[in-house]
Amino acid sequence: MDVRNGMGLRPLGTSAAEFEQDLLSNLYYRRGTTVESASTQDAYETLALTVRDRLAERRVRTAAAHYAANPRWVYYLSAEYLLGKQLEQNMLYSGTDRIARVAMKQLGLDPDEVEGLDIEPGLGNGGLGRLAACLLDAMATLDIPAVGYGIRYDLGIFKQAFKDGAQVEKPDDWTYQGNPWEFPAPDDQQTVFFYGHTERDENGRTQWIPGEIVLGEPSHMLVPGHGTDTVNIVRLWRARGSESSFDLSRFSAGQYAEAVDEAVHAENISKVLYPDDSTELGRELRLKQQYFLVSCSLRDIIRRFRLRNTDWAEFPKKTVIQLNDTHPTLAIPELMRLLVDEEGLGWDLAWALTKQTFAYTCHTLLPEALETWPVHMFERLLPRHLEIVYEINERFLAEVRDRFPGDVDRLRRMSIIQEEPERRVRMANLAVVGTQAVNGVAELHSQLLAETTLRDFADLWPTKFHNVTNGISPRRFIKLANPTLSSLITEGLGSDAWINDLDQLTGLERLTGDAAFREKWRAVKRANKVRLGLGDPDSLTDVMIKRFHEYKRQQLNLLHIITLYQRIKASPGRAYAPRTVLFAGKAAPAYHAAKHIIRLINAVAAVIDADPAVSPYLKVVFPPNYNVTLGSLIIPAADLSEQISLAGKEASGTGNMKLALNGALTIGTLDGANIEIRDRVGADNFFLFGLDTPAALELRHGGAYQPRAFYEQDEELRSALDAILDGKFLGVGREVAESLLGRDEYLTLADYRSYIDCQEQVEKAWADTEQWTTSSILNTARSGFFSADRTVRDYAAGIWHVSPVQVTR
Ligand code: 6GP
């Protein structure tokens, strides 16, 4: 179908009665059932389709506008997306939230029950995946022509449950009932090669003779903008065996398992999301996933380019491909292969086009999170790509040699190939060499990247390095997550324009003097705590929600809890301000140290709960299976936001932004985006503690750090750790204490006293309800900078050089 013909569409109705009519016809014609026999699942699917149709109509007009404009596109390549539930979002964006509920009631349906069946696609691990979703949201909202590319994992991030307090992982078969948000497009299927060898043909051109062929079948989900008619898409690839991969003769001979062997093998590529966050993981299947994503997506990008263009020289003018961390970095040698081997371009031209096309975002500082692949594995799976990487590297090292003659160490550090102790391909080096821009995700992170992790590259190409501080979707993380606060803000500001222009929140500053507004502000926070239902709504709700990682230091929070517990035990008569400490988050299944921390938190929670002398004042809760949905319930209820990573370790954080935006005060270190949050909300409205990055580096690298010295000098710290070692918490957690007393990689004990003292400041501040309310309002009022709209504008102006395309009716 020619998209230009989309203009003849009949606009779908905007009244509840028309919506009801459409619900009925979708129930009959697309779901194939009747009102009498419809299940709740039928009702849900029908509702989803009816909402989706309204966005699909905008999608047709968006595609037509984009086709006519032939603009420069942003292609966002990401192995992960954490999109969150779609129904509520799509009802808001399509403007059907109210009429849909009225129509459902008319049909005798319970909207809450029906909406309760919507499932969150958990196609990511944590920050990096959720950032991708926020950027897609903002790109659509800002009318930027964009496509997100990713993998349609059959199984998303595992579901977390607790057994005796320990994390157990359950598979997340998120499409078991189907997925109404998805449009399969088997006709856009791509062919992906693996293994095999290379040959030179008579013209000296290299051919890759593959050893395995897998099909990539795309489907897309709609990515609507808010307050605009733009609807972009996210296109997800699923691996399929080819038709010939089913062995009929074996099947006929009764060898049923063997008959499907090849197909199963192929389909395993998109079977499961690797449940790792910020850790390097060297498994061939993961490399296969990465190449699968890249190969399918690039062919699709080129197909789209060719709809309106013929000249390769135009390619970078029409295309910018943003690499979300190193996971899609194989796109660089893959584009070279396509241009040189398949299109016959010369190397120099191909390389110039490739470099101009790509940009790379780094999301970490942890050296162990920088991906590398064993050369032998890379070569076996992608023989032609290794040749290309070698060639890129040779030319690159010649450039370095020219600039820094005789500097052998530098060559060794910068080479795309690591030689010792094992030959490996360094994906971050490849990503820097093959792109026109590299960015970190917060000011400190970008600075540290250029000074430490990628320093040699920043010396060579200083202008290639950028900062783009992360941001979050105000639609998802305040408008949808916190409807009551949103209404109050709209009432206070006199309009809801702030949702697409978050800087307008500064208008709340003048309302800090309005007693009635302040009263309502507190009432909203309290009601959100009641809605969350995890503790006394009048207690200080202290939340730490993020992946479990030692550098994030959930263990430091836990030491504070144990100290509070021991103080209350020691002086039971005193009046303590009640506090509810909430943890939520998952640990990578193979990350044992993080799992020990989870188990210890649950044990401490149980011990406190069972102690009537303590439980009125202190409660620890740990709801399992943290995801976007649960986060959206917790964030609006938080009073205190724990952002306590060791300085210099957290690239940015985005939960910190969500919590501040919802009026929580932060207790945090000078790390990641905490610094920028504090700069904006004001030092008086932020609880700062701990070592800064230079001090942490000095203590760690001086080689003189002795956690035991802190233990010995600090009575409360000693007593907290001893309690763990003595088995006071159901005998659990000795590993945690031993690791802290042994190496304490992330200087938890060094920051303990400063943290405890700072928590006392928190308690004092909390006791002054009026001052706390002012700080809470100011946190919201001054968080406008952290809108993902600002982030996308920064990318658009500084890196992508793209402009919006308006979609008209
Ligand atoms: C995360 C970073 O840890 C976090 O600080 C940042 O806010 C987020 O990315 C978005 O930029 N990194 C990852 O999730 C990851 O897997 C390789 O990094």
Side-chain angles (χ1 to χ4, degrees):
M1 190 194 73
D2 186 337
V3 287
R4 283 166 298 183
N5 294 336
M7 303 312 242
L9 280 180
R10 172 179 65 87
L12 294 165
T14 53
S15 71
E18 288 163 303
F19 195 91
E20 190 185 326
Q21 268 308 308
D22 292 340
L23 274 176
L24 283 173
S25 65
N26 282 331
L27 186 71
Y28 301 150
Y29 302 135
R30 290 159 87 184
R31 196 65 191 164
T33 186
T34 63
V35 176
E36 293 71 27
S37 52
S39 64
T40 313
Q41 188 68 30
D42 287 323
Y44 161 72
E45 303 264 348
T46 303
L47 172 63
L49 291 175
T50 310
V51 171
R52 193 184 80 170
D53 286 346
R54 265 107 185 126
L55 296 177
E57 183 259 335
R58 291 185 188 178
R59 170 67 198 154
V60 174
R61 284 187 283 116
T62 303
H66 290 169
Y67 186 89
N70 188 18
R72 184 168 207 221
W73 286 85
V74 177
Y75 294 113
Y76 198 81
L77 256 62
S78 180
E80 303 191 11
Y81 291 93
L82 279 173
L83 297 168
K85 286 189 176 182
Q86 297 293 293
L87 177 59
E88 209 196 353
Q89 169 196 285
N90 288 344
M91 291 203 298
L92 172 71
Y93 286 45
S94 61
T96 54
D97 36 356
R98 199 190 50 79
I99 60 170
R101 293 179 76 89
V102 173
M104 275 191 284
K105 286 189 187 142
Q106 280 295 324
L107 293 174
L109 297 166
D110 174 355
D112 291 327
E113 193 191 342
V114 173
E115 289 172 27
L117 294 185
D118 199 40
I119 281 175
E120 164 176 345
L123 307 182
N125 275 286
L128 164 155
R130 182 55 229 179
L131 182 78
C134 283
L135 296 186
L136 293 186
D137 174 275
M139 285 189 271
T141 297
L142 296 172
D143 299 311
I144 293 177
V147 177
Y149 284 102
I151 299 175
R152 187 188 178 287
Y153 303 104
D154 291 347
L155 303 176
I157 183 70
F158 65 85
K159 288 188 182 156
Q160 179 195 52
F162 297 130
K163 187 168 187 297
D164 298 327
Q167 170 176 296
V168 289
E169 299 97 22
K170 305 256 165 72
D172 170 39
D173 190 357
W174 67 290
T175 57
Y176 188 77
Q177 297 272 11
N179 172 17
W181 303 110
E182 206 175 349
F183 295 87
D187 48 329
D188 281 340
Q189 179 174 281
Q190 300 293 354
T191 307
V192 184
F193 302 155
F194 295 102
Y195 306 108
H197 63 278
T198 61
E199 286 173 4
R200 318 266 165 247
D201 67 13
E202 57 280 11
N203 309 317
R205 267 215 233 165
T206 305
Q207 292 294 309
W208 177 17
I209 315 296
E212 185 188 348
I213 295 180
V214 173
L215 302 177
E217 188 176 289
S219 56
H220 60 264
M221 287 166 69
L222 301 177
V223 179
H226 182 258
T228 169
D229 279 2
T230 295
V231 175
N232 287 332
I233 61 170
V234 56
R235 188 153 236 203
L236 304 175
W237 300 96
R238 170 187 193 180
R240 301 286 306 264
S242 61
E243 225 176 314
S244 64
S245 65
F246 181 76
D247 191 333
L248 191 59
S249 58
R250 288 199 141 151
F251 191 84
S252 309
Q255 299 173 317
Y256 304 121
E258 293 83 347
V260 294
D261 233 25
E262 202 183 316
V264 169
H265 184 73
E267 284 160 23
N268 272 341
I269 294 174
S270 56
K271 184 55 86 189
V272 58
L273 168 80
Y274 277 96
D276 296 275
D277 180 79
S278 300
T279 42
E280 194 235 329
L281 185 129
R283 295 225 185 99
E284 188 179 86
L285 187 60
R286 169 101 162 205
L287 185 59
K288 252 180 138 168
Q289 282 186 341
Q290 295 186 351
Y291 180 65
F292 173 74
L293 164 64
V294 151
S295 173
C296 293
S297 306
L298 266 183
R299 286 188 190 273
D300 201 55
I301 289 168
I302 291 169
R303 176 188 66 78
R304 295 169 53 91
F305 172 72
R306 287 193 168 132
L307 292 175
R308 292 297 315 268
N309 308 279
T310 47
D311 182 0
W312 277 114
E314 292 290 304
F315 189 67
K317 295 186 191 136
K318 298 295 179 186
T319 313
V320 52
I321 301 178
Q322 187 69 42
L323 304 175
N324 197 25
D325 217 85
T326 51
H327 314 146
T329 299
L330 286 167
I332 294 166
E334 173 68 355
L335 183 57
M336 286 300 287
R337 188 185 72 80
L338 293 172
L339 294 178
V340 174
D341 295 356
E342 295 196 2
E343 299 295 326
L345 269 60
W347 182 278
D348 291 331
L349 175 59
W351 183 239
L353 297 176
T354 297
K355 258 198 318 199
Q356 283 171 54
T357 299
F358 288 104
Y360 158 52
T361 305
C362 176
H363 292 269
T364 189
L365 281 162
L366 307 180
E368 67 269 27
L370 294 179
E371 283 190 301
T372 63
W373 295 105
V375 166
H376 67 85
M377 182 199 284
F378 198 110
E379 181 167 33
R380 209 169 73 84
L381 189 67
L382 301 167
R384 177 58 183 145
H385 295 78
L386 187 66
E387 293 175 2
I388 292 171
V389 168
Y390 281 159
E391 174 95 37
I392 293 172
N393 198 35
E394 206 167 288
R395 290 163 185 254
F396 162 63
L397 291 179
E399 191 182 335
V400 180
R401 232 176 263 120
D402 266 6
R403 271 287 302 279
F404 303 95
D407 195 342
V408 184
D409 259 357
R410 184 181 297 264
L411 285 175
R412 193 175 300 136
R413 292 194 305 266
M414 296 183 82
S415 174
I416 297 169
I417 307 297
Q418 165 195 304
E419 299 291 338
E420 303 285 336
E422 178 196 21
R423 300 196 73 221
R424 299 179 77 98
V425 184
R426 294 165 165 157
M427 301 307 273
N429 295 28
L430 178 57
V432 177
V433 172
T435 54
Q436 43 100 5
V438 176
N439 76 283
V441 290
E443 268 171 29
L444 175 70
H445 177 233
S446 299
Q447 179 200 327
L448 292 173
L449 274 182
E451 287 173 0
T452 60
T453 320
L454 301 175
R455 174 178 183 159
D456 294 317
F457 294 94
D459 281 354
L460 184 63
W461 299 310
T463 56
K464 201 187 251 202
F465 287 78
H466 300 251
N467 174 58
V468 184
T469 297
N470 282 341
I472 58 174
S473 163
R475 276 69 66 181
R476 171 80 51 182
F477 289 106
I478 183 161
K479 172 68 187 160
L480 286 165
N482 201 343
T484 45
L485 192 68
S486 297
S487 301
L488 178 60
I489 293 171
T490 297
E491 180 191 315
L493 298 178
S495 127
D496 67 0
W498 59 274
I499 297 165
N500 276 17
D501 180 11
L502 208 60
D503 287 329
Q504 288 190 21
L505 289 177
T506 52
L508 295 173
E509 291 207 25
R510 58 178 176 78
L511 293 167
T512 52
D514 177 334
F517 184 81
R518 299 166 62 86
E519 195 54 51
K520 288 184 195 160
W521 190 269
R522 282 192 289 266
V524 164
K525 186 62 88 182
R526 191 178 189 285
N528 286 334
K529 294 189 209 180
V530 172
R531 175 177 73 147
L532 176 62
L534 288 178
D536 170 9
D538 294 314
S539 69
L540 170 67
T541 302
D542 170 350
V543 315
M544 183 154 189
I545 46 177
K546 52 186 79 244
R547 282 297 284 253
F548 272 75
H549 202 296
E550 289 165 285
Y551 84 78
K552 295 181 189 276
R553 300 199 297 189
Q554 279 92 355
Q555 67 276 21
L556 179 58
N557 189 340
L558 189 57
L559 288 175
H560 171 244
I561 292 166
I562 295 173
T563 298
L564 281 184
Y565 166 76
Q566 295 184 325
R567 284 183 185 175
I568 299 170
K569 290 293 276 182
S571 326
R574 299 243 297 271
Y576 297 92
R579 193 191 276 246
T580 304
V581 187
L582 185 154
F583 290 89
K586 297 174 184 177
Y591 190 174
H592 300 292
K595 291 179 117 176
H596 288 310
I597 296 171
I598 288 182
R599 183 131 194 250
L600 180 56
I601 291 171
N602 280 323
V604 169
V607 168
I608 291 175
D609 221 28
D611 190 332
V614 181
S615 58
Y617 308 111
L618 184 58
K619 187 176 165 87
V620 178
V621 288
F622 193 158
N625 202 36
Y626 184 62
N627 56 13
V628 178
T629 307
L630 182 55
S632 304
L633 267 176
I634 296 171
I635 289 162
D639 295 308
L640 187 66
S641 160
E642 300 269 353
Q643 308 300 336
I644 61 177
S645 52
L646 173 62
K649 297 292 176 189
E650 187 70 270
S652 163
T654 47
N656 47 3
M657 302 170 186
K658 296 164 197 168
L659 285 156
L661 177 62
N662 281 274
L665 278 61
T666 304
I667 180 167
T669 49
L670 286 178
D671 200 14
N674 293 353
I675 298 174
E676 289 157 81
I677 292 175
R678 181 167 173 269
D679 285 348
R680 288 187 165 76
V681 305
D684 292 345
N685 306 302
F686 185 108
F687 301 98
L688 177 69
F689 77 97
L691 299 164
D692 64 8
T693 302
L697 283 175
E698 158 118 14
L699 186 55
R700 183 83 269 168
H701 293 303
Y705 177 54
Q706 295 201 336
R708 264 197 184 270
F710 290 92
Y711 166 85
E712 270 145 24
Q713 282 154 28
D714 192 315
E715 208 176 303
E716 283 194 310
L717 173 58
R718 195 164 63 241
S719 143
L721 286 166
D722 285 349
I724 301 171
L725 291 169
D726 294 345
K728 296 268 166 59
F729 303 107
L730 313 177
V732 161
R734 284 201 185 84
E735 303 85 346
V736 177
E738 278 160 10
S739 146
L740 292 174
L741 288 166
R743 182 166 158 77
D744 189 15
E745 175 74 35
Y746 301 103
L747 307 178
T748 307
L749 303 196
D751 269 347
Y752 168 85
R753 181 46 53 190
S754 164
Y755 180 59
I756 298 290
D757 291 348
C758 191
Q759 286 282 15
E760 280 179 29
Q761 297 302 311
V762 170
E763 255 156 60
K764 285 206 188 94
W766 177 249
D768 183 348
T769 307
E770 291 306 329
Q771 186 51 47
W772 189 281
T773 304
T774 302
S775 289
S776 170
I777 298 172
L778 289 177
N779 264 272
T780 303
R782 298 172 178 174
S783 287
F785 177 78
F786 300 103
S787 170
D789 301 344
R790 188 270 313 149
T791 306
V792 161
R793 278 196 202 94
D794 287 354
Y795 276 106
I799 293 178
W800 299 338
H801 311 293
V802 294
S803 336
V805 172
Q806 295 311 325
V807 176
T808 49
R809 273 184 196 269

